[in-house]
Amino acid sequence: MKNNLKKFNHLTLYQLFKFALYSVMTTFFFLSCGPPEEKSITIVYDAPPATLDPHLKREVVNQTIMSNIYEALVCFDANMELQPLLVNYWENVDSITWRFELRSGVTFHNKKELTAQDVLYSLYRIWHNPQSEYRAFTWYTDTIYAEDRNIIFKLKIPYPFFLYDIAGLFIVPDGFEPQKEMPVGTGPYKCIKNSQDEIKLESYEHYWAGPPPTKSARFVFIPDYKDRIKMLKDGKADIINFIPLSALSEIEKFGQVVATPGNSTRYLEFNLTKYPFNQKDFRKAINLAIEREYIARVIYKGYAVPANQYLPPGVFGFDSKLPQIPYEPEQAKKILKKFSDLPIIVIECTSARAFIAEAIARGLGKIGLKVMVKVLEVDEYWNKVEHQKSDCYLIASVPTSYEGIGMLRSSFHTYEPDKGLGMMNNVNYSNIELDSIIEELFYMKEQNAVFQAINRIQKILLNDLPKIPVVWEKEIYGISKRIIYKPRLDERIIIKEIRFIDTKNNVLTEGKQ
């Protein structure tokens, strides 16, 4: 017994010695190396979103930030395929009835549990806001009500693209007032700082799908693209955009250059209440004087293709049979002979898109127009566009769903906020025939009939030219070498889709090392 006890004591002392030695070595290692690094992402845009109200604007910056904080009943994945989000499933009960079953165990960032009342409050908040760019569903929806944890939509008419309109209708807590409160959603990230220069997000530890891999994220807003590039070079940014093509070779020296598939349409847009932009023949002359092939191939260095219609490739309604818009400067000159005392045409743009404006200006100069490019600060540019104070400017449109109907009714229908139509019609365009066709789309069940109707709409637009499609461009990003990021078709930057690279071991990691 004594021998066994003696043996046990010796063994125990030896094990204690080993443990103490291991503890000292481990402590020394962590003191020298520091604690495991919490991964954070910094994304730099040229300007902050116009609003953090999740039910007002559809602009890309707003959509990106909101999509990380808020969630909808259903959503689009990176390939624009519909997926359930805050619901377990949905079903089309009959031709005009849709039912959505809410997930259980979902909480808002204020720890409040998601209920059907929150959904009803959010949807009717959109419904009753005449300024919301999300109101299209109100045109054909009769009522929305709850049955326990089921949300029931009763439509006035069968509408095959109903789900596309519901995707992106963000859900907020019952009674939430975004003008008075910090953003509160159910998404993977909660907002902890909101200023004009920076919006900071932190992972939500009680997120229903599990905490996201990246611990935190910053959205920083820097107007000058040179400063955005410097942040990337200095390791202070992970993703930057709105980069001039002339800077790509510089970025490739210290980072990565990645581009979207080319879903964004670059337009030359006008105020149609002002002369000479209110003259269709004048717009036709400009259209014929734009050398799209040269602009796409040389000016964009292959990061764009000529646009010949109002819906980009990959969107339902795109017509592959439409011919290219011809480059006919001599015909444009003949058209302009009917106009006298033409003013100097001022094309307004931001610095990141000045190279396109200058190429268009050179082309218009060849047909005898006096053209000036005016580069504005980002805040001034968007303020003028939003308040329709710019007569001629470059702008891009990014589709937010697979179908093109939403973009057509939002951008080209006569502005009728009570119906949720023409909510993004900033050019004061109105065509009774086009309005009628757009409204007929709500009653069409057959996909082929819808496609034919969209074809008629596009032909009207190509005749009226309320704004001129120039190219379908790729959005180009500068990316740090420590991450892997594949741009989405809708150009939203979803933080949980970003992955880190362990450069030391050359492996892909999650949000922490």
Side-chain angles (χ1 to χ4, degrees), residues 433-449:
E433 181 185 2
L434 182 137
D435 288 350
S436 177
I437 299 172
I438 287 177
E439 291 172 22
E440 286 174 10
L441 287 171
F442 290 111
Y443 299 90
M444 295 180 183
K445 300 179 183 179
E446 298 295 328
Q447 193 174 82
N448 186 58

Side-chain angles (χ1 to χ4, degrees), residues 325-368:
I325 298 172
Y327 172 56
E328 296 180 350
E330 295 305 316
Q331 180 62 22
K333 289 178 184 178
K334 292 178 182 179
I335 294 173
L336 288 181
K337 286 181 180 179
K338 66 173 68 176
F339 296 96
S340 59
D341 300 323
L342 286 171
I344 296 174
I345 306 302
V346 179
I347 303 176
E348 296 185 330
C349 63
T350 60
S351 59
R353 295 295 182 259
F355 69 100
I356 315 164
E358 289 163 358
I360 293 173
R362 288 193 294 270
L364 298 183
K366 293 178 182 178
I367 63 172

Side-chain angles (χ1 to χ4, degrees), residues 95-119:
S95 63
I96 60 169
T97 307
W98 291 79
R99 184 170 73 89
F100 298 81
E101 183 188 82
L102 285 181
R103 290 184 187 275
S104 298
V106 177
T107 60
F108 289 96
H109 300 153
N110 60 5
K111 307 296 176 60
K112 178 187 181 299
E113 184 180 358
L114 171 70
T115 67
Q117 183 56 40
D118 300 311
V119 177

